Amino acid sequence: MTEDPYMWRRPGRLGEGAAYDKVFTVAAPLLAGASSALLGIVIGQRDPFRWAAPLLIALTLTTILMIVALMLGMVASRHLYSRKDVEDWWGPLDKLPQELAKDLGEEQKTEFAEWFRWMRLALAVFYWGLMLMAVSGVLVLVPPTHEVAPLWRWIAAGSVAVCGVPLGGLIVKSTRLIIRR
């Protein structure tokens, strides 16, 4: 059986699927946990924060978005598999009936397109969560009005704000990709 060498789809870069898997199985849950822990601190002690109410909203949304990103990443990961994965289940493709091998390849193309669609959505949600986490960081660090020597907190808040700027570019790019679809 001669096979089209481009029949089986793969992420743009080898290792990309595994990298995304880490984002959604390690980073997103850790960031959701950190956000919800900070949320508990802010709820229990509002005085050290200048704008506690907006901070609570930002932390709540961060937690929600990280959990949603985790879930979308899990949905996406169900659709990514390789020729090797197919052969682990079905045996060597060259030993299968030609029509079945072709159908399995076509199915993998369809599943890969689904993976790509869900992964873009999951990444966009993750980036929005990161942006809200940066906003939360700024809101945590801005000193309350009664603070005596707030300079270090203003510097720290400004540093977080500056680091959040590149996230804006990722958000715009990923949101455009989703809207274009």
Side-chain angles (χ1 to χ4, degrees):
M1 168 176 111
T2 59
E3 181 179 290
D4 174 6
Y6 301 105
M7 183 165 124
W8 297 89
R9 297 291 178 248
R10 64 174 177 78
R13 293 178 212 93
L14 294 177
E16 190 174 11
Y20 288 148
D21 188 51
K22 297 288 187 276
V23 167
F24 300 115
T25 60
V26 178
L30 285 173
L31 295 173
S35 297
S36 56
L38 186 53
L39 185 61
I41 291 169
V42 176
I43 288 170
Q45 204 174 23
R46 296 177 83 137
D47 287 343
F49 308 103
R50 179 175 282 203
W51 299 302
L55 175 57
L56 289 171
I57 292 168
L59 287 170
T60 300
L61 291 174
T62 299
T63 303
I64 291 168
L65 288 175
M66 288 301 167
I67 292 169
V68 170
L70 175 137
M71 298 306 294
L72 291 171
M74 287 174 48
V75 169
S77 68
R78 294 184 339 201
H79 298 284
L80 181 63
Y81 58 89
S82 67
R83 175 188 172 129
K84 171 110 174 62
D85 295 325
V86 171
E87 287 184 330
D88 285 347
W89 279 91
W90 288 88
L93 291 176
D94 56 354
K95 305 270 192 240
L96 296 176
Q98 190 171 4
E99 189 62 33
L100 176 59
K102 183 180 179 210
D103 288 348
L104 290 170
E106 291 300 320
E107 182 179 327
Q108 192 267 348
K109 282 182 190 178
T110 302
E111 290 292 318
F112 181 82
E114 280 296 298
W115 170 79
F116 193 69
R117 187 173 66 87
W118 284 104
M119 190 55 58
R120 285 192 320 199
L121 180 59
L123 276 174
V125 170
F126 182 76
Y127 292 150
W128 276 102
L130 283 178
M131 180 55 83
L132 278 169
M133 183 167 253
V135 168
S136 299
V138 171
L139 292 172
V140 162
L141 291 166
V142 168
T145 53
H146 61 275
E147 183 95 13
V148 177
L151 181 62
W152 71 269
R153 285 182 73 168
W154 282 112
I155 292 170
S159 298
V160 172
V162 167
C163 290
V165 170
L167 284 173
L170 288 173
I171 288 171
V172 168
K173 183 178 180 181
S174 62
T175 304
R176 279 187 186 154
L177 283 173
I178 292 169
I179 291 171
R180 254 194 266 159
R181 270 285 175 166

